[in-house]
Amino acid sequence: MAKKSLWLTYSPEAIQKMNEFCEGYKAFMSTCKTERECTDAFIEMAEKAGYRNLYALIREGVTLVPGDKVYANNREKMLMLVQLGKEPLAEGLRILGAHIDSPRLDLKPHPLYEDSEFAMFKTHYYGGIKKFQWVTLPLALHGVVALKDGSVKKVVIGEDPSDPVLGISDILPHLGKDQMSKPIGEAFTGEDLNVNIGNAAMPDGEDEKELVKKNILRILKDKYGMEEDDFESAEIEVVPAGAARDFGLDRSMVFAYGHDDRICAYTSVLAQLDLADMVPEKTYVTLLVDKEEIGSVGATGMHSKFFENEMAEIMELAGGYSELNIRRMLKNSAMLSSDVSAGFDPNYAGVHEKNNAPLFSYGPVLHKYTGSRGKGGSNDATAEYIAQLRRIFDDAEVRFQLGELGKVDQGGGGTIAYILAQYSMDVIDLGIPLHNMHAPWEVAAKPDIFEAYRAYKVFLEKL
Ligand code: MN
Ligand code: MN
């Protein structure tokens, strides 16, 4: 069947709804640039929609009934939103899963030093970045400093128009002969990504050593009550500074930091919250996980037992808990692993295979498999599951496309799909195509954002 751009099929009213939806998305993306900031924002939205904190419910010994809505927050970096259905949990869940961590530069535990009368931060990159993309950009700091007294200070510098921004320098072309002769992957190393944070040598009335660094420490002390040692218990991420913007003279796209994968997280959360007032047949779950970009490891990554354990807690409160019922619940579930894909880019047509390349404005992309080379590391969804999804999407007139990430031997990628598939539930990737994936600023088409949100809602309601 010949498909067309959504711009040709959306009514004027649909385009207006899409634009309104994307305004909300841009506002979210302009302030939520870390997994913690996403978790905070999503909890606030969920509480407004009637979700309650699982741990408070456990303490109170509440009995959960169909229609009840619960959230579980794992260390401010991973979040589950659960809306209970009429069917017993052992019948299975409808799960939307996305990740809320994005590639970035993290400050090292001892980041601050002075070199040649500049105060600098050492960084350690997180996730798959092309290092040359991170120089000469306005950068911001987002994160937390945990102090020994138990308090946690939130840090955001570089976003308010009155804030300063930070940055990593590059060599002027006039002196770039040696650098320009290096392969692009070697021209910048991880240890080159040092952030310039100041140059003012302020007298301190003591010795004359490291006056720029000492001045920076005074600024941090005034603003956050922190000492230099407190960086040891801080998580501060260096991210691109500035707001998400419309992209294109026709405003058809959105330019933002961290579309991968907050674009799927935001659309999934909104899809589930839209259904908050109903009592569904199946239980709905939106899973928002951390650490996908570094292998889904750690206590807040998808490989942790958090999801399984907290679903056991919920089953206990809802009645009918048993180890066997948990296993049945997991096996009987169906999931959309929602993660971004590589949209066809005419500037780099050579890495795509045109018949199977996801196109901008053709709706979210179903990936039967991801992986690399011979599908290595892939979850390969069954034909039967894809047929079910085709049916519900076609019935609801939700547009989607089937695609591959790029040419077979060009590389590849993975998502959290294979981790949930270990329970032998049905899992498939459904996400939004991007340009510049993992670059400081990524691009997505507005119709794909809106259509993904519609697809997630149809998945929860109709599968
Ligand atoms: Mn991703
Ligand atoms: Mn990624």
Side-chain angles (χ1 to χ4, degrees):
M1 185 180 70
K3 294 197 171 176
K4 285 198 258 189
S5 166
L6 280 162
W7 293 100
L8 297 173
T9 60
Y10 273 171
S11 64
E13 296 73 41
I15 288 180
Q16 193 188 338
K17 275 191 193 157
M18 170 193 84
N19 283 329
E20 283 165 13
F21 187 89
C22 288
E23 289 305 305
Y25 177 60
K26 284 189 293 174
F28 171 82
M29 293 299 276
S30 297
T31 53
C32 296
K33 295 190 176 182
T34 67
E35 49 281 31
R36 287 173 184 266
E37 289 166 348
C38 291
T39 301
D40 280 356
F42 287 144
I43 288 175
E44 199 185 319
M45 289 157 65
E47 283 182 340
K48 275 189 197 143
Y51 280 73
R52 293 176 292 166
N53 187 333
L54 173 64
Y55 308 110
L57 300 177
I58 293 172
R59 273 195 306 278
E60 292 158 22
V62 166
T63 299
L64 291 175
V65 298
D68 277 350
K69 298 176 287 285
V70 178
Y71 70 86
N73 169 3
N74 183 2
R75 296 172 171 80
E76 317 294 329
K77 300 188 207 187
M78 176 183 183
L79 182 67
M80 285 168 56
L81 304 178
V82 181
Q83 181 174 357
L84 279 132
K86 290 177 204 156
E87 287 182 8
L89 285 164
E91 299 292 317
L93 313 169
R94 292 293 172 261
I95 305 169
L96 299 173
H99 67 93
I100 51 176
D101 60 317
S102 295
R104 60 183 188 250
L105 309 176
D106 286 337
L107 293 193
K108 289 191 183 188
H110 298 135
L112 180 62
Y113 67 103
E114 179 168 332
D115 187 346
S116 313
E117 297 185 49
F118 288 101
M120 309 285 285
F121 276 147
K122 293 298 294 183
T123 65
H124 196 135
Y125 63 95
Y126 172 98
I129 65 164
K130 290 161 89 174
K131 299 180 191 93
F132 65 86
Q133 293 176 335
W134 289 76
V135 300
T136 69
L137 282 179
L139 297 174
L141 302 178
H142 287 236
V144 296
V145 183
L147 300 177
K148 284 197 284 186
D149 67 7
S151 64
V152 178
K153 309 268 184 202
K154 289 184 183 170
V155 174
V156 180
I157 304 174
E159 300 295 352
D160 190 278
S162 67
D163 277 358
V165 293
L166 314 171
I168 300 169
S169 57
D170 192 6
I171 301 171
L172 58 166
H174 317 64
L175 299 177
K177 181 172 158 288
D178 289 351
Q179 183 197 42
M180 298 289 271
S181 64
K182 289 180 188 169
I184 201 167
E186 290 170 19
F188 297 86
T189 70
E191 294 299 347
D192 292 332
L193 299 178
N194 304 315
V195 183
N196 186 341
I197 57 168
N199 178 236
M202 303 299 280
D204 69 348
E206 295 174 27
D207 55 30
E208 293 293 300
K209 285 185 199 144
E210 299 198 319
L211 293 179
V212 183
K213 175 178 158 179
K214 281 181 192 156
N215 185 47
I216 292 287
L217 282 170
R218 269 195 300 276
I219 292 168
L220 292 173
K221 173 94 182 167
D222 285 350
K223 198 158 175 171
Y224 300 109
M226 67 179 288
E227 309 282 346
E228 186 172 7
D229 286 350
D230 293 324
F231 279 114
E232 293 181 347
S233 49
E235 288 175 354
I236 297 179
E237 305 180 10
V238 182
V239 298
R245 316 266 305 253
D246 281 344
F247 190 80
L249 291 177
D250 56 5
R251 300 179 179 271
S252 54
M253 297 167 271
V254 176
F255 189 69
Y257 163 66
H259 278 319
D260 180 6
D261 182 32
R262 294 168 190 145
I263 200 167
C264 296
Y266 181 84
T267 43
S268 296
V269 169
L270 263 75
Q272 185 164 321
L273 295 187
D274 271 3
L275 304 172
D277 292 334
M278 59 184 286
V279 183
E281 296 297 318
K282 297 273 183 194
T283 292
Y284 300 161
V285 179
T286 294
L287 257 178
L288 304 154
V289 298
D290 180 28
K291 298 288 182 284
E292 192 277 342
E293 295 293 356
I294 58 168
S296 297
V297 291
T300 53
M302 193 65 242
H303 277 299
S304 85
K305 298 283 183 253
F306 182 76
F307 161 63
E308 196 180 322
N309 290 347
E310 298 339 77
M311 283 312 305
E313 295 280 9
I314 289 169
M315 191 184 280
E316 173 72 11
L317 296 182
Y321 170 78
S322 75
E323 176 62 24
L324 185 60
N325 277 338
I326 287 289
R327 288 172 195 234
R328 285 176 176 158
M329 174 193 78
L330 293 166
K331 192 195 118 206
N332 291 331
S333 292
M335 184 199 192
L336 289 182
S337 159
S338 307
D339 207 342
V340 296
S341 183
F344 180 82
D345 182 345
N347 271 343
Y348 302 97
V351 303
H352 301 280
E353 185 270 290
K354 226 170 171 178
N355 287 347
N356 290 284
L359 303 177
F360 267 34
S361 299
Y362 278 64
V365 192
L366 273 175
H367 282 288
K368 177 168 164 44
Y369 45 83
T370 55
S372 54
R373 313 295 167 188
K375 302 190 181 178
S378 158
N379 164 63
D380 202 340
T382 64
E384 290 86 343
Y385 185 39
I386 297 174
Q388 282 182 302
L389 295 171
R390 287 175 62 210
R391 177 178 53 77
I392 60 165
F393 292 152
D394 284 347
D395 286 353
E397 296 185 349
V398 166
R399 282 279 302 282
F400 63 96
Q401 46 184 330
L402 269 288
E404 285 207 4
L405 190 67
K407 275 187 178 166
V408 174
D409 281 330
Q410 196 59 240
T415 65
I416 60 171
Y418 74 99
I419 306 167
L420 278 294
Q422 291 176 129
Y423 297 117
S424 85
M425 68 173 76
D426 278 319
V427 183
I428 190 168
D429 287 292
L430 180 68
I432 295 166
L434 300 185
H435 284 176
N436 317 341
M437 194 199 297
H438 284 206
W441 296 98
E442 301 171 319
V443 180
K446 286 183 181 177
D448 298 332
I449 300 171
F450 188 59
E451 204 67 3
Y453 151 76
R454 294 187 63 224
Y456 297 146
K457 215 152 79 171
V458 166
F459 169 82
L460 291 176
E461 272 191 295
K462 303 293 182 193
L463 188 74

